């Protein structure tokens, strides 16, 4: 299992933790050992369910228990997963979230089902190279997000989740057709000024979507009235409006070559104060928020901030919070998607699992 570094150190390397191992014996037989817990390897089982899917089961879960009971197990997990002790965490809400995560993850006792995920395919017009990133999520700690590009949209999909937003959900969506012009550094410190700019773009996006919808309905009616059916125009919109966004996107990418000063507005909370003080470009985007158990999910406006090829940020306007993301530089073998269609299908499948 690859674990993110301890919160909030997003630039630190990933951590590695063995979960099970397979001993290949003579005569094509094999033994499986569970590596979970602190009492050494013990008997386990692996089953191939179907293509690109397998399950693990521990046959001796008593090896996962500790002499001090659940309290000792929780304190050990907290030290290993978070690099902290319970006494370090003064915030009651954070204590509650961490305890929920411990209860949720420990109940499976290494009896898990694994499904293959692909790394996102890259294209020549991508803003940066797509891939996996570590991101700060407030009291939830660090989580893993996959950044992928889809025409005039970029999507951040959660690979690891939390009690509010599960893995598989689209945590952020970036509208590459709507770059944001940030105010000068002094005015940027004023949250109300940034909020005004973002909400104006949100209203503009809403109007454009309504116009596109109306245009589509008018087009359908005119085609139904025509006899024989009207021919489709050449060079129409590509996936998710890809064609119409290209000139704007290219213009935005040209501007992205020059950096501009950046500072978080007053009142915006960041787990990591060591964020870059210069950015290349910003875009309008939306972030997914929800209550515990993924209740009442809604997309809320925000700002995607591109710092460099390996780091970006997102300002959650409604939460007055900032997430910093840093690229995972682990080299995964045989993880490329065989096609764009296969990758899109995988994204759809992991989102349906989460819901």
């Amino acid at each position: 299992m690859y674990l993110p570094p301890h919160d909030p150190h997003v630039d630190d390397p990933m951590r590695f933790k063995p979960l099970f191992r397979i001993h290949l014996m003579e005569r094509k037989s094999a033994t499986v050992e569970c590596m979970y817990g602190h009492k050494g390897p013990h008997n386990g089982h692996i089953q191939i369910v179907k293509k690109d899917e397998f399950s693990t089961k521990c046959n001796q879960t008593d090896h996962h228990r500790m002499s001090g009971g659940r309290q000792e197990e929780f304190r050990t997990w907290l030290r290993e997963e978070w690099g902290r002790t319970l006494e370090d965490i003064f915030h009651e809400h954070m204590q509650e979230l961490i305890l929920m995560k411990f209860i949720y993850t420990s109940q499976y006792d290494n009896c898990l089902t694994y499904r293959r995920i692909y790394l996102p395919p890259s294209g020549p017009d991508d803003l940066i190279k797509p891939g996996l990133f570590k991101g700060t999520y407030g009291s939830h700690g660090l989580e893993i997000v996959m950044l992928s590009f889809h025409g005039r949209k970029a999507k951040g999909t959660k690979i690891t989740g939390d009690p509010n937003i599960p893995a598989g959900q689209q945590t952020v969506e970036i509208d590459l057709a709507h770059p944001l012009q940030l105010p000068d550094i002094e005015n940027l410190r004023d949250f109300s000024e940034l909020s005004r700019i973002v909400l104006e773009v949100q209203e503009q996006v809403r109007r454009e979507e309504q116009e596109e919808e109306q245009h589509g309905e008018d087009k359908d009616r005119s085609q139904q009235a025509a006899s024989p059916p009207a021919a489709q125009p050449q060079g129409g919109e590509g996936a998710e409006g890809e064609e119409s966004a290209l000139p704007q996107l290219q213009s935005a990418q040209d501007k992205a070559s020059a950096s501009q000063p950046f500072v978080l507005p007053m009142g915006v909370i960041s787990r990591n104060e060591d964020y870059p003080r210069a950015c290349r470009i910003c875009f309008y985007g939306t972030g997914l928020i929800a209550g515990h158990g993924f209740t009442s999910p809604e997309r809320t406006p925000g700002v995607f901030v591109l710092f460099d090829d390996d780091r970006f940020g997102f300002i959650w306007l409604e939460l007055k919070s900032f997430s910093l993301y840093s690229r995972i530089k682990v080299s995964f073998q045989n993880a490329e998607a065989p096609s764009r269609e296969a990758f899109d299908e995988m994204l759809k499948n992991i989102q349906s699992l989460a819901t």
Side-chain angles (χ1 to χ4, degrees), residues 3 10 20 34 38 43 48 72 92 98 108 112 115 137 174 194 199 226 237 266 283-284 287 291 317 340 346 351:
L3 296 163
V10 288
F20 61 86
C34 175
H38 295 82
N43 187 256
I48 306 297
E72 185 186 359
E92 191 175 325
I98 290 173
Y108 292 104
L112 302 166
R115 294 178 180 87
Y137 277 85
I174 303 104
L194 179 67
L199 294 179
E237 274 199 357
M266 296 290 288
F283 290 94
Y284 170 76
L317 219 60
R340 163 61 71 174
M346 179 216 71
Q351 187 163 4

Side-chain angles (χ1 to χ4, degrees), residues 168-321:
Q169 290 297 324
Q170 195 178 306
T171 176
V172 294
E173 181 175 284
I174 303 104
D175 189 338
L176 299 172
H178 289 90
L180 294 177
Q181 183 62 51
L182 294 182
D184 61 65
I185 201 73
E186 285 308 313
N187 286 324
L188 183 55
R189 295 179 191 276
D190 182 357
F191 178 79
S192 60
E193 177 62 14
L194 179 67
S195 182
R196 181 190 64 78
I197 293 170
V198 174
L199 294 179
E200 279 181 3
V201 176
Q202 182 189 36
E203 180 59 25
Q204 180 188 343
V205 169
R206 189 187 64 80
R207 285 198 308 269
E208 288 172 2
E209 287 173 350
Q210 283 181 337
E211 287 167 8
E212 282 179 20
E213 193 177 321
Q214 185 63 45
H215 177 68
E217 290 173 1
D218 293 345
K219 188 176 174 183
D220 289 343
R221 278 196 291 269
S222 64
Q223 284 180 346
Q224 287 169 6
S227 180
Q232 290 290 327
Q234 294 297 308
E237 274 199 357
E240 297 195 43
E242 194 167 339
E243 291 289 326
S244 62
L246 282 179
Q248 286 173 284
L249 185 52
Q250 191 59 53
S251 171
Q253 287 175 330
D254 292 341
K255 291 177 187 173
S257 56
S259 66
Q260 59 190 94
F262 177 81
V263 67
L264 285 176
M266 296 290 288
V268 173
I269 300 165
S270 175
R271 296 286 296 169
N272 193 329
E273 289 300 323
D274 190 25
Y275 62 86
R277 293 309 197 266
C279 68
R280 289 186 186 172
I281 195 167
C282 298
F283 290 94
Y284 170 76
T286 58
L288 184 63
I289 63 173
H292 290 347
F294 198 44
T295 53
S296 307
E298 62 172 320
R299 302 210 70 84
T300 61
V303 182
F304 171 84
V305 187
L306 179 64
F307 294 115
D308 53 43
D309 287 342
D310 296 321
R311 289 178 298 177
F312 65 87
F314 191 83
I315 300 174
W316 305 75
L317 219 60
E318 192 165 312
L319 302 178
K320 281 195 171 182
S321 178

